[in-house]
Every structure is written in structure tokens, then in C-alpha cells.
Amino acid sequence: MFVQAGAIVYANIYRADDKPLYKRGNRTLIGICSMNIVLYGLAFLFYRYLNQRRDKKWNSWTKKEQDEYIETTKDEGNTRLDFRFVY
């Protein structure tokens, strides 16, 4: 299935009227790769921000409050305050 999807993308990026160097197609792919690099950086900063915000709240609690939260919380997965994203 992904081979067919790749063929669709290929046909729209590398066009016959752009032969033989495919400058337009190569510029398109470089643009897509550049956009991905920026998105990876933004995702890194976003997850780092979320972790810092949770750390600030979590560390403001006493050990007793933290233990009580762990025992009584109904939060699951990444909504828990003791969950940290790995980046």
C-alpha cells in the first residue's frame, strides 16, 4: 500500500517537464525535509515545556501530597502529574 502512495508522491514531485536535473522536485524535497527539522525542534521544545510545567507543580507538593496523589489519582497515562515525556 505504501509503495502505491510513494508512487503518487513521486509522480507529483518529479515531473517529466523538469528532466533531467529535476531542480523543482529536489527543491520541493529539500523544503519538506527542512519543514520536518523545524517541526522536530518545536516538538522537542513543547515536550520540554510540558515536563518543566509538571515538575514545577509536582515539586511544589510535599512528599506526603505526592504519595497521596499516586495512591488516589484516577489520571492515567500522560495526564498523570508524575509522568514525564522522554525526548
Side-chain angles (χ1 to χ4, degrees):
M1 184 163 77
F2 287 105
V3 172
Q4 288 85 4
I8 293 170
V9 172
Y10 168 79
N12 288 307
I13 291 179
Y14 290 115
R15 299 180 188 173
D17 64 338
D18 200 20
K19 280 183 184 178
L21 298 178
Y22 297 104
K23 289 183 180 182
R24 181 178 45 208
N26 290 336
R27 278 195 306 264
T28 302
L29 290 180
I30 289 171
I32 290 170
C33 289
S34 300
M35 181 186 67
N36 281 338
I37 290 170
V38 170
L39 288 175
Y40 295 148
L42 291 174
F44 170 80
L45 294 174
F46 177 70
Y47 289 133
R48 200 168 135 190
Y49 165 75
L50 287 179
N51 284 346
Q52 288 174 350
R53 192 174 70 179
R54 289 180 185 186
D55 280 340
K56 185 177 179 182
K57 186 171 185 179
W58 184 257
N59 293 333
S60 69
W61 291 354
T62 64
K63 180 68 173 156
K64 182 179 177 184
E65 289 173 326
Q66 291 174 356
D67 291 338
E68 182 180 330
Y69 173 82
I70 291 172
E71 292 173 9
T72 62
T73 187
K74 296 195 186 298
D75 296 338
E76 292 183 3
N78 65 352
T79 58
R80 292 177 57 99
L81 288 176
D82 58 342
F83 178 87
R84 297 297 176 267
F85 290 99
V86 177
Y87 45 86

